[in-house]
Amino acid sequence: MNDDQKMQEPSESVNMTDLATTGMTSDGGTPKMTARHVDVFYGDKQAINDVSIDVNMDSVTAFIGPSGCGKSTFLRCMNRMNDTIPIARVTGDIMLEGEDIYSSQMDVVQLRARVGMVFQKPNPFPKSIYDNIAYGPRIHGLATGKEELDNIVESSLQRAGLWGEVKDRLSDSGTALSGGQQQRLCIARAIAVDPEVILMDEPCSALDPIATAKIEELIHELRGKYAIVIVTHNMQQAARVSQKTAFFHLGTLVEYGETTDIFTNPREEKTRDYITGRYG
Amino acid sequence: MTSATLLFLIIGLGLFAWFFGRLKASGLKASGKSSRSALHSLPNYHGWYVALWAIVPAAIFMAVWSFVSPALITDAALASPASAGLPQGAFARAAILSEARAIAYGNQVNAFNPLSQSMVEPYRDAISYYQMIGAVAALLMVFACGVYAWLQIKPDLRARTKIERVTMLILLLASLIAIVTTVGIFLSLVFETARFFSMVSPIDFLFGTEWNPRAVAGPRGETGFGAIPLFWGTVFIGAIIAMIVAIPLGLMSAIYLTQYAPAKLRAWMKPILEVLAGVPTVVYGYFAALTVAPALRDFAVSIGISGASSESALAAGVVMGIMIIPFVSSMADDSIAAVPSAMRDGSLAMGATHSETIKKVLIPAALPGVVGGVLLAVSRAIGETMIVVMAAGLAANMTVNPFSSVTTVTTQIVQLLTGDQEFDSPKTLAAFALGLVLFIVTLLLNLIALRVVKKYREAYE
């Protein structure tokens, strides 16, 4: 990692200088993922316009902004889920520990194992709880035997705070769980392949307040073990769970900084208008 | 006056009724003070109101009359002096009467029995008499009901609401026709089957293993109505060989079309597959009998398989399987497309490859729908007739050798009913019993399949 980091430094420093003017840099911590001048097009329509951002290992990063501002689109670029949309085209650089994730050397399968994703609507597979968690380890060959797989399943469920609730019914279908449990199952499933980054696309928007509180608590606990990026519509949620906040508007990154700064003392007027609920 | 002329006349009068109803309503409308309070419904609805009143009761009367009048005509003919010379035996009497009736209606020219000829005149008289009564009564009804409805037209007549109700009734009637017909077919099968089972024991039929239908019992009382070889042949061709061909090919083509095919390719491949489903089965029959069967026989002979026949289960089954492919493919296509894309995304986001996602997530999730589709396909395959008639042969063999000839339920039904047959011999009636078994089996398969598919649809809604 250090070698990669050193090789990357020259270009990094160049980028830093032009970013300094707009304040896109992160201070403190090592950037786990860096994006520079990213544009995304759906056909002729530009959805993301020149976004540069750093995601740190030790903090939770929240993407906020009005509907259609491109925050989910950008999130999906970070593990190349946009590849599934034939008309989507991404330009610019997105680096995971200095490796360009859009280069031809990057194996998308490996990338997605390192950068996991949790979706807006809980989407457990119509399989048993055990098989849901074991899915990733199995396809990536992470466990050599049944016992090791059992361990991975247990520890993943434990980290997702779901073990106590489901340990007696691992063979039940994952779709039989409640919405909040399903979403924690999906988080556990993402954790099971031991990713470095977890992307969460509005993970609580389909959940009730109690289930939401549990997920937020879980995000707190996972912080530091994984770099977490969360897209949310809920500004209180961004304030509660994140240390860094990025405000997107019409496909551009308006402001990126410490969550406390964004919410109490935003530099940009647009950010202030959005935070105070004047539009969006 | 014939019924057809009368019907056209009634409809013509109905048009007049429509015109007069509309005219009166328009007049009321014009005389009304404000346009809204003047007339409840538009003049057009009033026109229809009068027209329906004029036509429908008369048409119903005509339908009822056509059922009632033959008995009245026969009674009248028998009351004539000419009937005195008729024989007393009911059977001979009925034969003469039906012949005379046929001549009187002009369906037959010459009588075989001179006695019939004597009855023709009384019949003719009775027919014209009762037809006259029917026509006069129907026309009177047209006028009476039409005038009644016309008099009903007042500003507050809710003609529109009434027409709406009639429209609903017509639609209800239309939807009932298919159901009533099915029930009728089922009942006729049941009655004929009951007659068959009064001659041949159901146990012998359902569990017997010798199929060699004869009108009379053999020396040991055997009748050769054991249908097991037919059931086996049907299952062997339709549910085993055809499905071995259709399920993998159909499924794989659905996977390619939904998951891999570029939009342009899909845009022309899917319609072509659907067109294949509309090819008449007799065309597949030619293909099976003239191309596939001889090729398979030559192949079997060349690798030294004994008992290879030019009419083989394999040829019929394979071609039937090919015929079923579009069906399976389109059902599987629908099921796979119905799996929420969140499932696919979830799997891809775990780092699964495309084919792993298909194998481990999409197919298992779509499986109930695919199974439902396969069951429907099986029910189609076992009811399929033309291919097996042309390519499967008639020998009722109980064999698992796909190169030998087997026969199916549908083939035998065709065999039993073609040509001049008496309709009260067990040989002919056996066809109805076979048909009933086929009907029940396909009905059950369809029921199960539809339930499976429905349950599966609910799971994702």
Side-chain angles (χ1 to χ4, degrees):
Chain A
M1 174 179 165
N2 285 336
D3 289 351
D4 284 352
Q5 208 60 38
K6 273 181 193 125
M7 283 165 61
Q8 209 51 45
E9 257 166 18
S11 68
E12 195 86 336
S13 58
V14 170
N15 283 329
M16 290 297 181
T17 50
D18 64 58
L19 282 170
T21 52
T22 45
M24 299 302 170
T25 50
S26 58
D27 36 16
T30 22
K32 188 76 186 173
M33 293 191 80
T34 58
R36 291 294 174 266
H37 308 297
V38 174
D39 294 318
V40 180
F41 301 87
Y42 288 132
D44 297 334
K45 190 176 159 280
Q46 188 162 9
I48 294 286
N49 189 359
D50 193 25
V51 168
S52 299
I53 199 166
D54 289 350
V55 171
N56 284 353
M57 192 65 198
D58 58 352
S59 55
V60 174
T61 306
F63 289 177
I64 62 169
S67 296
C69 67
K71 54 194 189 303
S72 289
T73 298
F74 185 69
L75 191 77
R76 290 170 68 93
C77 291
M78 295 173 74
N79 68 345
R80 290 183 57 178
M81 281 302 283
N82 274 341
D83 291 9
T84 59
I85 304 166
I87 57 165
R89 191 160 54 83
V90 180
T91 62
D93 299 321
I94 301 179
M95 308 280 187
L96 173 61
E97 292 194 333
E99 282 178 79
D100 182 357
I101 66 169
Y102 280 92
S103 78
S104 51
Q105 274 87 33
M106 177 58 76
D107 179 6
V108 70
V109 166
Q110 288 302 316
L111 168 71
R112 289 179 188 152
R114 292 171 68 188
V115 183
M117 191 162 204
V118 176
F119 293 84
Q120 188 168 357
K121 238 181 103 197
N123 59 348
F125 303 131
K127 298 169 182 284
S128 71
I129 294 170
Y130 184 96
D131 286 339
N132 261 283
I133 307 295
Y135 184 78
R138 277 184 182 140
I139 56 177
H140 295 295
L142 298 182
T144 47
K146 171 86 175 115
E147 208 171 309
E148 209 178 333
L149 194 60
D150 288 350
N151 288 338
I152 293 176
V153 170
E154 182 175 343
S155 66
S156 306
L157 284 169
Q158 249 156 4
R159 280 202 199 177
L162 198 59
W163 177 250
E165 291 160 61
V166 301
K167 66 175 179 226
D168 299 325
R169 47 180 185 139
L170 290 174
S171 57
D172 285 9
S173 171
T175 51
L177 296 172
S178 75
Q181 287 174 325
Q182 286 189 12
Q183 195 60 298
R184 279 182 286 151
L185 180 68
C186 292
I187 294 175
R189 187 175 72 186
I191 290 172
V193 291
D194 200 24
E196 296 156 42
V197 182
I198 300 179
L199 308 174
M200 298 187 180
D201 189 357
E202 299 184 41
C204 303
S205 65
L207 304 181
D208 65 64
I210 293 169
T212 302
K214 283 200 171 149
I215 302 276
E216 288 181 6
E217 200 179 307
L218 176 58
I219 293 172
H220 268 298
E221 279 162 21
L222 296 178
R223 179 192 156 199
K225 302 190 187 85
Y226 312 97
I228 295 177
V229 184
I230 176 170
V231 164
T232 176
H233 265 301
N234 182 332
M235 280 179 284
Q236 284 78 23
Q237 183 173 65
R240 282 193 299 265
V241 302
S242 71
Q243 287 73 50
K244 301 266 186 192
T245 297
F247 173 58
F248 284 79
H249 182 61
L250 296 177
T252 56
L253 177 58
V254 177
E255 190 168 349
Y256 179 44
E258 297 291 328
T259 299
T260 46
D261 290 344
I262 297 272
F263 278 92
T264 55
N265 188 22
R267 276 188 306 257
E268 301 286 328
E269 195 164 342
K270 269 187 196 157
T271 317
R272 185 177 302 119
D273 288 349
Y274 183 69
I275 302 288
T276 54
R278 210 162 290 169
Y279 73 89
Chain B
M1 191 187 307
T2 67
S3 314
T5 341
L6 186 60
L7 197 64
F8 279 119
L9 190 63
I10 290 175
I11 289 172
L13 289 172
L15 282 178
F16 273 105
W18 179 84
F19 178 75
F20 283 118
R22 204 189 131 94
L23 198 67
K24 179 174 177 189
S26 303
L28 284 176
K29 189 179 180 185
S31 68
K33 287 171 187 72
S34 80
S35 64
R36 183 161 287 279
S37 64
L39 209 53
H40 172 271
S41 311
L42 292 174
N44 217 3
Y45 284 107
H46 287 92
W48 277 112
Y49 178 72
V50 179
L52 285 172
W53 259 110
I55 295 173
V56 175
I60 292 172
F61 169 77
M62 274 181 68
V64 173
W65 188 247
S66 70
F67 276 106
V68 176
S69 60
L72 294 173
I73 290 169
T74 307
D75 284 350
L78 284 177
S80 76
S83 69
L86 288 181
Q88 288 305 308
F91 192 77
R93 210 175 159 92
I96 291 169
L97 287 179
S98 87
E99 199 174 27
R101 188 163 51 230
I103 296 170
Y105 275 112
N107 297 339
Q108 193 176 325
V109 180
N110 290 315
F112 292 105
N113 194 328
L115 271 174
S116 304
Q117 197 60 55
S118 68
M119 285 302 289
V120 168
E121 257 334 286
Y123 253 110
R124 274 207 184 117
D125 293 344
I127 287 168
S128 63
Y129 176 66
Y130 280 104
Q131 267 186 352
M132 181 64 114
I133 289 183
V136 169
L139 289 176
L140 276 178
M141 278 186 90
V142 171
F143 282 108
C145 296
V147 168
Y148 166 76
W150 189 78
L151 289 174
Q152 289 255 301
I153 295 180
K154 294 183 187 78
D156 60 349
L157 175 70
R158 305 198 166 183
R160 190 171 167 182
T161 325
K162 290 179 200 292
I163 297 295
E164 196 71 9
R165 204 167 303 154
V166 173
T167 314
M168 194 272 287
L169 276 176
I170 292 170
L171 297 180
L172 175 71
L173 222 62
S175 60
L176 279 180
I177 282 177
I179 295 171
V180 170
T181 313
T182 312
V183 171
I185 293 172
F186 182 73
L187 286 180
S188 78
L189 280 179
V190 167
F191 287 128
E192 299 298 330
T193 305
R195 280 175 69 195
F196 173 67
F197 282 148
S198 69
M199 302 175 203
V200 175
S201 137
I203 309 281
D204 287 351
F205 174 70
L206 289 174
F207 302 105
T209 54
E210 198 220 331
W211 180 261
N212 182 20
R214 281 175 293 230
V216 284
R220 290 187 308 279
E222 80 274 21
T223 47
F225 283 110
I228 288 286
L230 272 53
F231 297 151
W232 165 247
T234 308
V235 168
F236 191 40
I237 292 181
I240 299 178
I241 298 176
M243 290 306 132
I244 288 175
V245 174
I247 294 174
L249 290 178
L251 205 56
M252 286 193 274
S253 104
I255 290 170
Y256 178 74
L257 284 178
T258 54
Q259 301 298 318
Y260 289 100
K264 271 183 193 160
L265 192 66
R266 185 182 156 88
W268 67 261
M269 266 185 87
K270 210 170 143 59
I272 287 181
L273 265 178
E274 276 156 11
V275 164
L276 276 183
V279 172
T281 54
V282 67
V283 175
Y284 284 106
Y286 283 128
F287 178 56
L290 300 180
T291 312
V292 178
L296 282 174
R297 185 201 48 209
D298 294 348
F299 170 73
V301 169
S302 74
I303 61 169
I305 291 173
S306 63
S309 153
S310 65
E311 291 174 326
S312 65
L314 193 59
V318 165
V319 173
M320 197 186 281
I322 290 170
M323 183 193 86
I324 296 287
I325 287 173
F327 195 70
V328 173
S329 165
S330 114
M331 290 294 289
D333 192 319
D334 290 349
S335 311
I336 292 172
V339 176
S341 63
M343 295 284 158
R344 197 175 76 131
D345 286 356
S347 172
L348 292 174
M350 297 291 301
T353 62
H354 204 154
S355 69
E356 282 168 342
T357 300
I358 291 165
K359 223 163 40 201
K360 296 191 169 163
V361 176
L362 289 182
I363 301 284
L367 199 60
V370 173
V371 168
V374 167
L375 287 181
L376 284 179
V378 170
S379 104
R380 255 181 86 131
I382 65 174
E384 161 52 36
T385 311
M386 218 52 227
I387 294 176
V388 284
V389 167
M390 293 174 81
L394 297 172
N397 292 324
M398 290 266 276
T399 174
V400 290
N401 177 3
F403 292 103
S404 74
S405 165
V406 297
T407 191
T408 69
V409 172
T410 48
T411 315
Q412 287 303 320
I413 291 177
V414 171
Q415 274 305 308
L416 292 171
L417 290 182
T418 36
D420 277 343
Q421 303 280 359
E422 287 174 62
F423 262 79
D424 47 4
S425 82
K427 208 178 153 188
T428 332
L429 291 173
F432 293 98
L434 288 174
L436 187 67
V437 171
L438 199 62
F439 188 94
I440 290 173
V441 169
T442 51
L443 197 72
L444 284 180
L445 274 175
N446 283 359
L447 270 180
I448 296 168
L450 290 178
R451 179 142 309 176
V452 168
V453 171
K454 190 172 165 229
K455 206 161 185 182
Y456 161 76
R457 292 265 181 274
E458 278 164 4
Y460 288 119
E461 276 163 10

